[in-house]
mmCIF file of all heavy atoms in Angstrom:
data_model
loop_
_atom_site.group_PDB
_atom_site.id
_atom_site.type_symbol
_atom_site.label_atom_id
_atom_site.label_comp_id
_atom_site.label_asym_id
_atom_site.label_seq_id
_atom_site.Cartn_x
_atom_site.Cartn_y
_atom_site.Cartn_z
ATOM 1 N N LEU A 46 -3.589 5.571 -0.632
ATOM 2 C CA LEU A 46 -4.463 6.793 -0.266
ATOM 3 C C LEU A 46 -4.062 7.904 -1.027
ATOM 4 O O LEU A 46 -2.883 8.269 -1.188
ATOM 5 C CB LEU A 46 -4.252 6.984 1.292
ATOM 6 C CG LEU A 46 -5.151 7.963 1.933
ATOM 7 C CD1 LEU A 46 -6.611 7.526 1.828
ATOM 8 C CD2 LEU A 46 -4.737 8.152 3.390
ATOM 9 N N GLU A 47 -5.037 8.684 -1.463
ATOM 10 C CA GLU A 47 -4.835 9.872 -2.321
ATOM 11 C C GLU A 47 -5.647 10.952 -1.784
ATOM 12 O O GLU A 47 -6.728 10.766 -1.297
ATOM 13 C CB GLU A 47 -5.228 9.437 -3.730
ATOM 14 C CG GLU A 47 -4.982 10.598 -4.763
ATOM 15 C CD GLU A 47 -5.474 10.072 -6.220
ATOM 16 O OE1 GLU A 47 -4.771 9.206 -6.732
ATOM 17 O OE2 GLU A 47 -6.456 10.643 -6.747
ATOM 18 N N ALA A 48 -5.130 12.232 -2.006
ATOM 19 C CA ALA A 48 -5.920 13.396 -1.661
ATOM 20 C C ALA A 48 -7.300 13.259 -2.243
ATOM 21 O O ALA A 48 -7.413 13.026 -3.498
ATOM 22 C CB ALA A 48 -5.278 14.681 -2.083
ATOM 23 N N GLY A 49 -8.410 13.617 -1.433
ATOM 24 C CA GLY A 49 -9.649 13.569 -1.886
ATOM 25 C C GLY A 49 -10.375 12.252 -1.678
ATOM 26 O O GLY A 49 -11.623 12.144 -1.904
ATOM 27 N N ASP A 50 -9.615 11.141 -1.231
ATOM 28 C CA ASP A 50 -10.283 9.904 -1.131
ATOM 29 C C ASP A 50 -11.132 9.829 0.129
ATOM 30 O O ASP A 50 -10.900 10.464 1.163
ATOM 31 C CB ASP A 50 -9.062 8.764 -0.959
ATOM 32 C CG ASP A 50 -8.579 8.366 -2.237
ATOM 33 O OD1 ASP A 50 -9.154 8.700 -3.308
ATOM 34 O OD2 ASP A 50 -7.638 7.515 -2.192
ATOM 35 N N ALA A 51 -12.197 9.036 0.040
ATOM 36 C CA ALA A 51 -13.100 8.661 1.210
ATOM 37 C C ALA A 51 -12.247 7.851 2.165
ATOM 38 O O ALA A 51 -11.435 7.027 1.757
ATOM 39 C CB ALA A 51 -14.324 7.954 0.886
ATOM 40 N N ILE A 52 -12.378 7.949 3.417
ATOM 41 C CA ILE A 52 -11.616 7.130 4.438
ATOM 42 C C ILE A 52 -12.515 6.958 5.640
ATOM 43 O O ILE A 52 -13.400 7.713 6.030
ATOM 44 C CB ILE A 52 -10.336 7.905 4.797
ATOM 45 C CG1 ILE A 52 -9.393 7.020 5.606
ATOM 46 C CG2 ILE A 52 -10.631 9.165 5.628
ATOM 47 C CD1 ILE A 52 -8.024 7.614 5.889
ATOM 48 N N SER A 53 -12.301 5.773 6.302
ATOM 49 C CA SER A 53 -12.910 5.481 7.524
ATOM 50 C C SER A 53 -11.969 4.835 8.532
ATOM 51 O O SER A 53 -10.919 4.330 8.118
ATOM 52 C CB SER A 53 -14.141 4.555 7.293
ATOM 53 O OG SER A 53 -13.683 3.406 6.730
ATOM 54 N N PHE A 54 -12.283 5.028 9.757
ATOM 55 C CA PHE A 54 -11.369 4.471 10.886
ATOM 56 C C PHE A 54 -12.098 3.550 11.793
ATOM 57 O O PHE A 54 -13.463 3.582 11.793
ATOM 58 C CB PHE A 54 -10.887 5.667 11.683
ATOM 59 C CG PHE A 54 -9.801 6.501 10.949
ATOM 60 C CD1 PHE A 54 -10.287 7.568 10.168
ATOM 61 C CD2 PHE A 54 -8.491 6.247 11.126
ATOM 62 C CE1 PHE A 54 -9.427 8.314 9.434
ATOM 63 C CE2 PHE A 54 -7.559 7.031 10.482
ATOM 64 C CZ PHE A 54 -7.996 8.049 9.636
ATOM 65 N N SER A 55 -11.375 2.744 12.543
ATOM 66 C CA SER A 55 -12.028 1.928 13.592
ATOM 67 C C SER A 55 -10.998 1.652 14.648
ATOM 68 O O SER A 55 -9.794 1.862 14.419
ATOM 69 C CB SER A 55 -12.469 0.598 13.060
ATOM 70 O OG SER A 55 -11.321 -0.237 12.711
ATOM 71 N N LEU A 56 -11.478 1.409 15.834
ATOM 72 C CA LEU A 56 -10.670 1.134 17.040
ATOM 73 C C LEU A 56 -10.896 -0.302 17.554
ATOM 74 O O LEU A 56 -11.971 -0.697 17.534
ATOM 75 C CB LEU A 56 -10.966 2.119 18.151
ATOM 76 C CG LEU A 56 -10.353 3.485 18.009
ATOM 77 C CD1 LEU A 56 -10.944 4.474 18.995
ATOM 78 C CD2 LEU A 56 -8.796 3.458 18.146
ATOM 79 N N GLU A 57 -9.948 -0.936 17.986
ATOM 80 C CA GLU A 57 -10.056 -2.209 18.642
ATOM 81 C C GLU A 57 -9.285 -2.189 19.989
ATOM 82 O O GLU A 57 -8.289 -1.531 20.117
ATOM 83 C CB GLU A 57 -9.547 -3.356 17.769
ATOM 84 C CG GLU A 57 -10.413 -3.590 16.515
ATOM 85 C CD GLU A 57 -9.943 -4.921 15.794
ATOM 86 O OE1 GLU A 57 -8.990 -5.578 16.347
ATOM 87 O OE2 GLU A 57 -10.516 -5.146 14.787
ATOM 88 N N GLY A 58 -9.789 -2.850 20.928
ATOM 89 C CA GLY A 58 -9.111 -2.986 22.248
ATOM 90 C C GLY A 58 -9.380 -1.873 23.210
ATOM 91 O O GLY A 58 -8.649 -1.628 24.165
ATOM 92 N N MET A 59 -10.500 -1.090 22.965
ATOM 93 C CA MET A 59 -10.821 -0.060 23.886
ATOM 94 C C MET A 59 -11.250 -0.595 25.246
ATOM 95 O O MET A 59 -11.932 -1.692 25.224
ATOM 96 C CB MET A 59 -11.910 0.837 23.306
ATOM 97 C CG MET A 59 -11.426 1.747 22.197
ATOM 98 S SD MET A 59 -10.244 3.077 22.805
ATOM 99 C CE MET A 59 -11.290 4.106 23.728
ATOM 100 N N PRO A 60 -10.974 0.029 26.343
ATOM 101 C CA PRO A 60 -11.395 -0.458 27.677
ATOM 102 C C PRO A 60 -12.832 -0.277 27.904
ATOM 103 O O PRO A 60 -13.541 0.488 27.283
ATOM 104 C CB PRO A 60 -10.546 0.435 28.615
ATOM 105 C CG PRO A 60 -10.388 1.769 27.927
ATOM 106 C CD PRO A 60 -10.245 1.279 26.450
ATOM 107 N N PRO A 61 -13.388 -1.173 28.804
ATOM 108 C CA PRO A 61 -14.900 -1.064 29.082
ATOM 109 C C PRO A 61 -15.305 0.254 29.567
ATOM 110 O O PRO A 61 -14.486 0.969 30.252
ATOM 111 C CB PRO A 61 -15.098 -2.092 30.199
ATOM 112 C CG PRO A 61 -13.907 -3.043 30.109
ATOM 113 C CD PRO A 61 -12.735 -2.237 29.539
ATOM 114 N N GLY A 62 -16.478 0.755 29.160
ATOM 115 C CA GLY A 62 -16.992 1.972 29.614
ATOM 116 C C GLY A 62 -16.673 3.205 28.700
ATOM 117 O O GLY A 62 -17.159 4.285 28.989
ATOM 118 N N TRP A 63 -15.944 2.956 27.643
ATOM 119 C CA TRP A 63 -15.640 4.151 26.812
ATOM 120 C C TRP A 63 -16.912 4.484 26.050
ATOM 121 O O TRP A 63 -17.726 3.700 25.744
ATOM 122 C CB TRP A 63 -14.480 3.827 25.859
ATOM 123 C CG TRP A 63 -14.811 2.916 24.730
ATOM 124 C CD1 TRP A 63 -14.956 1.598 24.740
ATOM 125 C CD2 TRP A 63 -15.039 3.348 23.302
ATOM 126 N NE1 TRP A 63 -15.261 1.126 23.516
ATOM 127 C CE2 TRP A 63 -15.218 2.192 22.563
ATOM 128 C CE3 TRP A 63 -14.984 4.566 22.673
ATOM 129 C CZ2 TRP A 63 -15.547 2.233 21.201
ATOM 130 C CZ3 TRP A 63 -15.201 4.614 21.284
ATOM 131 C CH2 TRP A 63 -15.421 3.456 20.619
ATOM 132 N N ASP A 64 -16.960 5.772 25.605
ATOM 133 C CA ASP A 64 -18.159 6.195 24.934
ATOM 134 C C ASP A 64 -18.039 6.922 23.617
ATOM 135 O O ASP A 64 -18.794 6.869 22.745
ATOM 136 C CB ASP A 64 -19.058 7.074 25.846
ATOM 137 C CG ASP A 64 -18.318 8.354 26.325
ATOM 138 O OD1 ASP A 64 -17.066 8.398 26.024
ATOM 139 O OD2 ASP A 64 -18.889 9.188 26.974
ATOM 140 N N LYS A 65 -16.855 7.592 23.479
ATOM 141 C CA LYS A 65 -16.650 8.421 22.243
ATOM 142 C C LYS A 65 -15.139 8.618 22.006
ATOM 143 O O LYS A 65 -14.410 8.960 23.000
ATOM 144 C CB LYS A 65 -17.334 9.748 22.250
ATOM 145 C CG LYS A 65 -17.291 10.539 20.956
ATOM 146 C CD LYS A 65 -18.152 11.779 20.986
ATOM 147 C CE LYS A 65 -17.613 12.839 21.794
ATOM 148 N NZ LYS A 65 -18.291 14.105 21.637
ATOM 149 N N VAL A 66 -14.727 8.603 20.857
ATOM 150 C CA VAL A 66 -13.360 8.929 20.435
ATOM 151 C C VAL A 66 -13.381 9.860 19.294
ATOM 152 O O VAL A 66 -14.126 9.582 18.265
ATOM 153 C CB VAL A 66 -12.461 7.632 20.145
ATOM 154 C CG1 VAL A 66 -11.221 8.017 19.524
ATOM 155 C CG2 VAL A 66 -12.204 6.811 21.359
ATOM 156 N N GLU A 67 -12.546 10.824 19.265
ATOM 157 C CA GLU A 67 -12.457 11.753 18.074
ATOM 158 C C GLU A 67 -11.126 11.621 17.441
ATOM 159 O O GLU A 67 -9.989 11.540 18.051
ATOM 160 C CB GLU A 67 -12.515 13.263 18.590
ATOM 161 C CG GLU A 67 -12.563 14.175 17.371
ATOM 162 C CD GLU A 67 -12.699 15.641 17.896
ATOM 163 O OE1 GLU A 67 -11.789 16.143 18.522
ATOM 164 O OE2 GLU A 67 -13.669 16.235 17.540
ATOM 165 N N VAL A 68 -11.129 11.302 16.090
ATOM 166 C CA VAL A 68 -9.958 11.049 15.256
ATOM 167 C C VAL A 68 -9.796 12.391 14.517
ATOM 168 O O VAL A 68 -10.635 12.884 13.732
ATOM 169 C CB VAL A 68 -10.257 9.917 14.242
ATOM 170 C CG1 VAL A 68 -9.011 9.775 13.467
ATOM 171 C CG2 VAL A 68 -10.528 8.660 15.015
ATOM 172 N N THR A 69 -8.539 12.897 14.639
ATOM 173 C CA THR A 69 -8.142 14.164 13.961
ATOM 174 C C THR A 69 -6.775 14.084 13.321
ATOM 175 O O THR A 69 -5.995 13.182 13.588
ATOM 176 C CB THR A 69 -8.091 15.339 14.984
ATOM 177 O OG1 THR A 69 -7.111 15.040 16.013
ATOM 178 C CG2 THR A 69 -9.398 15.601 15.662
ATOM 179 N N SER A 70 -6.617 14.886 12.259
ATOM 180 C CA SER A 70 -5.406 14.909 11.451
ATOM 181 C C SER A 70 -5.476 16.079 10.526
ATOM 182 O O SER A 70 -6.500 16.512 10.020
ATOM 183 C CB SER A 70 -5.290 13.595 10.627
ATOM 184 O OG SER A 70 -4.131 13.741 9.798
ATOM 185 N N PRO A 71 -4.312 16.649 10.297
ATOM 186 C CA PRO A 71 -4.227 17.746 9.359
ATOM 187 C C PRO A 71 -4.554 17.303 7.943
ATOM 188 O O PRO A 71 -4.908 18.112 7.037
ATOM 189 C CB PRO A 71 -2.702 18.178 9.318
ATOM 190 C CG PRO A 71 -2.200 17.699 10.627
ATOM 191 C CD PRO A 71 -2.969 16.431 10.977
ATOM 192 N N ALA A 72 -4.530 15.968 7.698
ATOM 193 C CA ALA A 72 -4.932 15.457 6.396
ATOM 194 C C ALA A 72 -6.345 15.238 6.163
ATOM 195 O O ALA A 72 -6.826 15.036 4.990
ATOM 196 C CB ALA A 72 -4.168 14.059 6.209
ATOM 197 N N LEU A 73 -7.180 15.268 7.254
ATOM 198 C CA LEU A 73 -8.617 14.922 7.086
ATOM 199 C C LEU A 73 -9.420 16.249 6.886
ATOM 200 O O LEU A 73 -9.081 17.355 7.384
ATOM 201 C CB LEU A 73 -9.119 14.318 8.422
ATOM 202 C CG LEU A 73 -8.450 12.940 8.768
ATOM 203 C CD1 LEU A 73 -9.078 12.432 10.097
ATOM 204 C CD2 LEU A 73 -8.787 11.887 7.672
ATOM 205 N N GLN A 74 -10.453 16.013 6.125
ATOM 206 C CA GLN A 74 -11.447 17.210 5.920
ATOM 207 C C GLN A 74 -12.028 17.690 7.112
ATOM 208 O O GLN A 74 -12.229 18.850 7.325
ATOM 209 C CB GLN A 74 -12.471 16.719 4.895
ATOM 210 C CG GLN A 74 -13.394 17.767 4.372
ATOM 211 C CD GLN A 74 -12.721 18.559 3.196
ATOM 212 O OE1 GLN A 74 -11.684 18.487 2.969
ATOM 213 N NE2 GLN A 74 -13.642 19.444 2.598
ATOM 214 N N GLU A 75 -12.375 16.785 8.075
ATOM 215 C CA GLU A 75 -12.962 17.138 9.340
ATOM 216 C C GLU A 75 -12.695 16.013 10.371
ATOM 217 O O GLU A 75 -12.326 14.946 9.930
ATOM 218 C CB GLU A 75 -14.502 17.406 9.195
ATOM 219 C CG GLU A 75 -15.205 16.142 8.676
ATOM 220 C CD GLU A 75 -16.656 16.368 8.417
ATOM 221 O OE1 GLU A 75 -17.045 17.563 8.157
ATOM 222 O OE2 GLU A 75 -17.471 15.406 8.563
#
Side-chain angles (χ1 to χ4, degrees):
L46 189 63
E47 182 178 293
D50 277 353
I52 191 169
S53 60
F54 289 85
S55 70
L56 283 167
E57 291 189 3
M59 287 294 289
W63 76 283
D64 58 353
K65 184 175 76 170
V66 166
E67 184 179 66
V68 178
T69 58
S70 172
L73 296 178
Q74 186 80 348
E75 61 183 26

